[in-house]
Amino acid sequence: MRLICAAILVAAFFSGCASTGDWSSDTPTKPGSRPSKATRVNLQNQSVSKIYAPSDNLWIRIRDGFQMEPMNSPLEIEQVRWLATRPDYVHRSMARSSRYLFCIVQEVSARNMPTEIALLPFVESAFVTHAKSSAKAVGLWQFMPATGKDFQLTQNVFRDERRDVLQSTDAALDYLQRLHNQFGSWELALAAYNWGAGNVLKAQKRNLAAGLPTDYESLTMPRETRMYVPKLMAYRAIVLDPSAYGIVLPELENHPYFVAVDVGSDIDVALVIKLAEIPEDEFHSLNPSFNKPVILSNANQQILLPFGHAEVFQANLKKYTKPLSTWTAVKVSKTESVDQAAKTLGVDPDALRQVNGIPKGMRIKVGSTVIIPKSSNRSGDVSSAMADNASLSLEKPPPPAPKCPKPAKGSKNAKAAKCGPTKPTPSGVAASPKGNLTQKNAASQHKSASTGLAKSAKNGNSASSSGSTAAKGASKNP
C-alpha cells in the first residue's frame, strides 16, 4: 500500500462519552472520497516516539532526489537574485514549510517523482495553507473548485479538502503525474498545471504548424507560466547551495512533524485543541480544511496533531467523560429568514447566523444544511449522507409590497386603488456547478496563486492572495 506523506496514523477510537455574492458555493459532493493512506500504530503496545526516519536531515534527502536539470536561463537567474535579496521572506516561507515538507517529500519519493516537485508549494502558496487567489484557488497546491472536484476533493459546508494537507497533496501529485504522462516532460507538466493542459496543447500545435520545437522554452505562453518553472528552479538552487546566496535554511528533521488521528465520533474542534494541549493557531495550521466547529466521524475524517501531542491527546481523551460534541446539523424544510428558522429550530438567531456564516439580510433556502447546538432531541452524530452532501444556499428576501394609496379627502365614492404584492425578483444565488468537469476542462481551469503571494506572505500566514490568472498573462515576483 502506497504511503501518503508518511504520517503515522494513531488508532484512536472515541468512546461514547462569505464571499462576494456567490452564496451557493458550498456544493454537495458525492460520497466515497478517498481517505488518506498511512501506517497504523497501536498506542497500547507501541510508542510513536520510537518511530524515526533513517536519516536526520530532510534537506539532504531532498537534494539527493533532485532529477530536473537547471535551466540556467536569464529568467531563472532573475528569480534566484530576487529570492537572495529577500532572506527574511525566504526564511519565513521555509519555516512554514517545516510542518508539511516531510510528508510531501515522502509521497513524492514513493511515486519516484523528482523531489523538486516537493518544493512547488513555495511557488504556489508560499506554504500558506489558507492562501486563496482572486480566481478562488485555495490551499498549499492552489486547486480551483472544478479541478478539486475532478480529483474528488470534497467541498461542502463542513470541509474543503482543497485545503487538506494530505488529501490535496495526494490529488496534486496525481494531477502532475497525469500531466507528465501526457506531455512527457516535467517542465511541460508544470506549465500545464499552471496554465491548463488545453492551453499547452494549443501552443504546441501552433509551434508545429510553424515548424518550431514544442518544448517548454520554445512555446509562447503568458508571462506567469513562463516564469513558473524558473521560480521552482530558483528554489531548487537555494536548497542545493543556500550559503552561496546568503540563505540559512531552517533545520528540518527527516521525520514526521504530525500524526494523523482517526475520528470515531463527532468531536468539537475546541475540545481537540484542549485535549491535545496545543495552541489554536497550530491546530488550524495542520487542519485548515475544517469549516465548522465540529469534526464529523461519518465524513471519514482525520485530525493532524503535532508529533509529540498525539499521545497527550489520547491520554486526555481516555479520562474525558463529558460529551465530545456540542454541535449537530439539520436540513431546513422551507425558505425563511434566519430569525424564522431560529424560532423553528429553537436556537438563538445570532448564534445560528454566526456559526453558519450567514450575512444579515439573507434568507436560508429550503434544503440547506445548518449547524446548530445539540439538544436532547438531536443528540446523535451527523449522518454520512449529510456529512458528504451538506450545502448552504442563501438568497435576498423579495422587496416589500407597495403601500396602497389612500382615497382623497371629501370624495364619498372614491374607491381604494387595487394593489397587490409585486412578484419577487430572483436574486443573488448562483446555481451550484453541475457535476464533475472532464479532465481536459478541469485541467484548463487550474490556475496558480503563486503570483502575488510574496506580498501576502511577508505579513505572515495571510489567507488570501491577489495573484492574477495565467490567462491574463500578468506576473509578479514570488
Side-chain angles (χ1 to χ4, degrees), residues 48-268:
V48 174
S49 62
K50 291 182 180 179
I51 300 175
Y52 287 95
S55 175
D56 291 335
N57 193 319
L58 184 61
W59 296 115
I60 293 176
R61 182 180 178 185
I62 292 173
R63 292 174 196 134
D64 289 344
F66 283 164
Q67 298 176 31
M68 297 176 66
E69 292 294 329
M71 303 174 72
N72 295 321
S73 66
L75 292 179
E76 181 182 334
I77 295 170
E78 174 189 337
Q79 290 302 309
V80 172
R81 286 175 177 169
W82 193 92
L83 292 172
T85 57
R86 292 161 177 82
D88 290 343
Y89 165 74
V90 174
H91 188 268
R92 283 195 300 272
S93 59
M94 292 284 180
R96 279 194 297 271
S97 76
S98 63
R99 293 186 177 97
Y100 322 106
L101 201 51
F102 173 87
C103 83
I104 297 174
V105 171
Q106 188 77 3
E107 182 62 10
V108 166
S109 300
R111 295 167 179 251
N112 295 316
M113 298 169 74
T115 51
E116 285 93 342
I117 299 300
L119 306 179
L120 192 59
F122 284 117
V123 179
E124 283 288 345
S125 62
F127 276 94
V128 178
T129 54
H130 282 87
K132 183 176 182 179
S133 77
S134 58
K136 297 185 179 180
V138 302
L140 292 178
W141 298 92
Q142 289 293 282
F143 271 98
M144 292 286 288
T147 317
K149 289 183 178 64
D150 186 34
F151 286 90
Q152 301 178 39
L153 296 176
T154 299
Q155 302 161 59
N156 67 16
V157 163
F158 295 102
R159 65 196 186 279
D160 187 343
E161 289 180 347
R162 295 178 298 158
R163 295 195 300 261
D164 186 284
V165 175
L166 301 182
Q167 302 285 6
S168 68
T169 295
D170 199 32
L173 299 184
D174 282 349
Y175 189 16
L176 285 162
Q177 283 186 308
R178 177 201 290 181
L179 294 171
H180 181 258
N181 291 337
Q182 180 178 358
F183 291 102
S185 84
W186 285 112
E187 289 78 12
L188 288 172
L190 289 163
Y193 187 86
N194 174 257
W195 191 24
N199 289 324
V200 173
L201 285 171
K202 289 176 184 177
Q204 287 186 319
K205 288 179 180 178
R206 286 193 295 267
N207 275 28
L208 284 172
L212 298 173
T214 58
D215 60 287
Y216 175 83
E217 293 191 83
S218 300
L219 298 182
T220 300
M221 56 183 67
R223 177 171 170 78
E224 181 183 321
T225 308
R226 170 63 61 213
M227 301 292 290
Y228 194 65
V229 175
K231 285 180 180 180
L232 180 62
M233 290 294 100
Y235 279 102
R236 179 192 189 277
I238 286 175
V239 170
L240 193 62
D241 190 5
S243 60
Y245 307 101
I247 301 292
V248 178
L249 298 180
E251 292 185 8
L252 291 185
E253 291 185 355
N254 189 23
H255 181 277
Y257 180 87
F258 55 75
V259 173
V261 181
D262 279 337
V263 177
S265 296
D266 291 1
I267 185 169
D268 289 352

Side-chain angles (χ1 to χ4, degrees), residues 362-384:
M362 300 297 287
R363 300 199 308 178
I364 307 171
K365 294 188 70 174
V366 62
S368 292
T369 298
V370 293
I371 313 300
I372 62 172
K374 275 188 175 179
S375 64
S376 57
N377 297 329
R378 303 184 182 95
S379 58
D381 288 348
V382 176
S383 68
S384 297

Side-chain angles (χ1 to χ4, degrees), residues 406-415:
K406 295 180 179 179
K409 290 184 178 180
S411 56
K412 296 180 181 180
N413 299 323
K415 295 182 179 180

